[in-house]
Amino acid sequence: MTARCLGPLVVAPVGFGSMVLSPGIYGPVTGRQAHAALDAALAASAGAGRLLVDTADSYGTESHGEWLVGRWSAGHRDQVVVSTKFGFRPPAGTGRHAFAVGYAVGELAVNGAPELVRGYAQGSLRRLGAEHLDLLSPHFPDPVVPIGETVGAIAELVQEGLVANVGVANVSAAQLAEAAAVCKIAAVQVEWSMWHRADPGLLAVAGQHGIGVVAWGPLGSGFLAGEMREPPPGDYRRNVPRLSGPNLAVNAAGYAHVRTLARQWRLTPAQLALAWL
């Protein structure tokens, strides 16, 4: 595998999205299982750059995801790049901004007010047990706060040495250009998989500014990893229309040829989906 560049960060081409390691996302998971998954991801990336592990202060109850990644990464500091995100779970009393996101369901509270960014970062530093954050991004753009103001506040923390690199996530092409005009953006996270193509306009902006692209949901929340059944109670995917009810059966039939190709080429469906991406 050939390493990829996210600004100055050199990482392996396949990273690890740690949202699934917190209980209540895809179902029960123990700390031992979570650490074993991270160990396997690290071993697979050997020789191809540092492993990018992505987390967020909203993953799991009481930011469980950051605590978990912090404990695990303490023994692998020189082999791992930890990316985290903020603002999707606003501090009490500040969650005044809500909007609908296509992949999720319902109203999602977001607050990217610049005066809150330092507190977000300090909380992530504490939970991750880190001296600085390798890559820090707003989880979603705030619908009433310009993205440039939010990333500008992160850029101030870069000057202080608390954050090494600024990122963004789930933005439009115009928002990415706005952020890039304020400070150097190392990476943009965008949903991108066989069944959800990235916006070509956003990719063009990223290319113009030398911004690395991190694809989230590359396996379609498990759909592209093989035969997927109706998610059990307690699995958040039950709330995603294309992954539940009659839609799941329709989509499974539509992607049957992908599984057939994988068998012909002696690959798992997940391997084929990642190779395509």
Side-chain angles (χ1 to χ4, degrees):
M1 297 190 294
T2 304
R4 304 289 193 269
C5 292
L6 306 177
L9 298 170
V10 180
V11 298
V14 180
F16 192 94
S18 67
M19 183 181 75
V20 299
L21 300 184
S22 292
I25 305 299
Y26 284 7
V29 59
T30 67
R32 179 175 295 182
Q33 289 171 325
H35 281 220
L38 288 164
D39 287 342
L42 183 61
S45 68
R50 296 164 70 189
L51 173 68
L52 176 69
V53 177
D54 181 72
T55 185
D57 62 7
S58 61
Y59 289 171
T61 303
E62 297 182 350
S63 302
H64 170 273
E66 285 189 327
W67 289 112
L68 172 75
V69 170
R71 288 192 296 271
W72 175 81
S73 63
H76 308 286
R77 294 294 189 199
D78 60 341
Q79 300 170 283
V80 173
V81 169
V82 176
S83 165
T84 194
K85 306 179 291 295
F86 65 82
F88 188 40
R89 179 181 289 162
T94 67
R96 61 189 182 279
H97 309 154
F99 69 117
V101 175
Y103 193 77
V105 175
E107 295 295 305
L108 306 178
V110 169
N111 198 324
E115 63 268 21
L116 297 177
V117 171
R118 181 178 297 274
Y120 286 135
Q122 290 172 334
S124 292
L125 283 166
R126 182 179 70 257
R127 291 183 290 270
L128 291 168
E131 295 182 355
H132 69 269
L133 301 174
D134 295 330
L135 179 61
L136 180 64
S137 309
H139 207 145
F140 290 91
D142 190 310
V144 299
V145 176
I147 191 69
E149 294 184 13
T150 305
V151 299
I154 306 175
E156 293 179 5
L157 302 182
V158 173
Q159 295 299 318
E160 298 178 25
L162 297 179
V163 176
N165 296 279
V166 183
V168 291
N170 303 303
V171 293
S172 66
Q175 289 169 328
L176 181 59
E178 178 186 345
V182 172
C183 63
K184 175 62 179 176
I185 304 297
V188 55
Q189 285 196 30
V190 56
E191 185 182 3
W192 194 359
S193 71
M194 275 186 171
W195 77 351
H196 191 286
R197 307 300 175 90
D199 173 23
L202 182 140
L203 299 180
V205 173
Q208 292 166 7
H209 294 277
I211 300 170
V213 179
V214 177
W216 69 260
L219 299 179
S221 296
F223 175 82
L224 296 171
E227 299 287 349
M228 185 172 176
R229 299 180 179 180
E230 182 79 12
D235 188 315
Y236 98 99
R237 292 173 294 183
R238 288 178 69 92
N239 298 318
V240 179
R242 64 187 180 190
L243 292 174
S244 57
N247 293 334
L248 178 59
V250 171
N251 287 327
Y255 279 81
H257 63 290
V258 173
R259 295 188 292 275
T260 299
L261 284 173
R263 286 193 296 270
Q264 290 175 355
W265 294 336
R266 298 182 181 179
L267 299 171
T268 67
Q271 287 173 321
L272 180 55
L274 292 178
W276 175 91
L277 188 57

